[in-house]
Amino acid sequence: GNCLSCHAQAAPKWDMICEDGHGCMPIPITEDMQIALQKTDPRCPSVPLTDEDKIALKKVVEIAKAAAAAAAAAGQPQP
């Protein structure tokens, strides 16, 4: 339901690193989407978004909406 619940599954040396194959459950976002998300992290310096970043972020929003709808239909709490 949230980022930490998945990151907690990673081995301590990999915790909070966005990579594949470190023990976290797979998520349906591409590397391009991860990069775009990292660029919007308020804890990081501001970075201009490219047109490709904006497209990737729109796809992330679509995935999040679909996941929320599926959770609601299954009667699960929404993140």
Side-chain angles (χ1 to χ4, degrees):
N2 64 53
C3 299
L4 189 57
S5 66
C6 289
H7 278 279
Q9 297 176 46
K13 79 181 217 178
W14 300 120
D15 188 29
M16 302 303 179
I17 298 175
C18 292
E19 298 260 346
D20 296 330
H22 294 163
C24 293
M25 293 181 61
I27 56 176
I29 65 172
T30 66
E31 187 173 346
D32 291 340
M33 291 177 195
Q34 289 177 21
I35 291 168
L37 284 168
Q38 288 171 335
K39 287 182 179 181
T40 63
D41 190 323
R43 299 169 295 178
C44 300
S46 181
V47 178
L49 296 176
T50 66
D51 289 339
E52 291 80 12
D53 292 333
K54 293 173 186 176
I55 292 168
L57 290 171
K58 285 182 183 180
K59 290 179 182 178
V60 171
V61 170
E62 292 170 7
I63 290 169
K65 286 180 181 178
Q76 300 173 349
Q78 297 180 30

